[in-house]
Structures are given as C-alpha cells and as structure tokens.
Amino acid sequence: MRFLSAFALLSSTLFLTACGGGDQNVRLQNAEPATTDAIQTITIARVTDIQSGPHISQAALNECELQTQFPELLTQKAAEKGITVQTTTDFDQTEKGYQLAARYDQIISEGNPFIGHRKFTQIHLTLYKDGDKLAEADLGRHSGGGMFAGYKSSCSVLGRTVEANAEDATLWLQTPVDKARMGNL
C-alpha cells in the first residue's frame, strides 16, 4: 500500500512538472494597467522578431515555424477573448491604434523524444497606442513534452510553449501592466 501511495504521488508530481507546472502567471502587486480602454483590435507583425544571441536555438528556427506560429496562435487565442488581431508584413508601431511588437528573446530546444525534451520560449512584448509606448511584458514557458506523451517532435513540444505564450499574451492584453512577467519566469 505504501508503494502505491508513493507511486501515485511521484506520478502526479512528474506529470505536473512535465506539463509546465500549471498556471504560473506572475502578477505585479498594486500595479496599474497601462490603459483602462478595452483593447478590441491590435496589429502585430506577421513574422516575430528574433533577439540575436546565444539563447536562440538556430536549429529550432530552421526546423520549426516559430516566427509565424506566435502571431497565428495569438490571433486564435485573442479571438476567443473578443480581441481582433491583424497581422501585417509592414509593422510600424507609430501607426494609429494599438500596435504590439513581439520578439523572441530565448528559444531553447534541448533533448529529444528518447531522453526527454527540455524546451523553453521567452517572448518580449511592447504595446503601443498611436505611436506611444504604453507597456512591456516578458512571457516565458517551458515544457518537457508531458508524461506519457509519446514520441513528440521538438517542433511539437516547442509549439506547446508558444501556444502558452500566446495565451499569456492574450491575458496580458486584457490588463496590460507595464513590466509584467508571466508564465515560467
């Protein structure tokens, strides 16, 4: 009986850890939103920028479609919350209305289906209204592929982190607090 209890505890702990540990959004205490207006429409670049440096997996960029995946997923997730996301090839934060600049600061892709995945994506967002900067946020999510998830590809597991980033971005757009850090940061 003791063995079964220990096994159940270990299994649930591994499951939660592998799935990213649940909702770990970080809120700023006593922080005021950058705008009290409900954002209904926002424009974002069709291709997400990349911060150059050692924390970007070039192999992941070459193999996966991460740069177009975030705007696509943000469009879907935001629509569920009543926010229309327009994508453009000529992003200009000085345009009228709400503009959202997005940049990957980290893309870490380690491991594989046989030894386990260790994936992480971090996105930096800057929200503008009519050319004026309102707020910035950093969103980071990790995944190990999930317990008993089968043999998932690196791009599939990275895609799960990007999807969680898009969910966090949607939540932040509902109450855009400056210098917010969300997810697994």
Side-chain angles (χ1 to χ4, degrees):
M1 187 65 161
R2 182 180 288 168
F3 173 75
L4 288 177
S5 296
F7 178 75
L9 177 63
L10 178 63
S11 296
S12 62
T13 302
L14 287 173
F15 178 76
L16 289 174
T17 301
C19 291
D23 185 17
Q24 298 179 13
N25 289 320
V26 176
R27 302 277 178 238
L28 296 176
Q29 298 297 323
N30 303 319
E32 292 292 322
T35 181
T36 56
D37 298 338
I39 298 173
Q40 296 176 341
T41 303
I42 194 157
T43 303
I44 189 171
R46 187 168 286 131
V47 177
T48 305
D49 286 339
I50 303 290
Q51 173 75 33
S52 63
H55 299 293
I56 301 294
S57 167
Q58 195 58 49
L61 285 177
N62 293 343
E63 295 170 17
C64 309
E65 298 177 4
L66 300 176
Q67 288 184 271
T68 56
Q69 192 173 29
F70 177 73
E72 291 169 1
L73 289 167
L74 179 62
T75 301
Q76 293 170 11
K77 299 298 179 184
E80 295 170 8
K81 300 296 183 184
I83 301 170
T84 301
V85 176
Q86 300 171 336
T87 59
T88 181
T89 54
D90 300 319
F91 181 78
D92 181 0
Q93 72 262 14
T94 63
E95 292 284 326
K96 286 284 189 195
Y98 287 101
Q99 310 295 320
L100 184 66
R103 177 188 74 222
Y104 281 106
D105 283 348
Q106 291 188 51
I107 300 173
I108 297 171
S109 181
E110 298 174 343
N112 60 52
F114 304 105
I115 64 170
H117 290 284
R118 290 173 305 284
K119 311 296 184 202
F120 179 77
T121 54
Q122 181 177 334
I123 297 177
H124 180 79
L125 301 177
T126 306
L127 178 64
Y128 297 90
K129 181 179 182 186
D130 300 332
D132 295 327
K133 184 169 91 169
L134 295 180
E136 295 180 83
D138 288 300
L139 320 171
R141 288 295 182 153
H142 63 75
S143 180
M147 188 171 180
F148 306 121
Y151 293 101
K152 301 280 186 191
S153 70
S154 286
C155 291
S156 173
V157 179
L158 275 168
R160 289 171 39 164
T161 67
V162 175
E163 183 174 2
N165 290 144
E167 290 172 359
D168 291 340
T170 300
L171 183 63
W172 179 71
L173 286 171
Q174 292 174 310
T175 310
V177 173
D178 192 29
K179 305 219 182 326
R181 295 176 57 83
M182 300 177 72
N184 302 121
L185 294 180

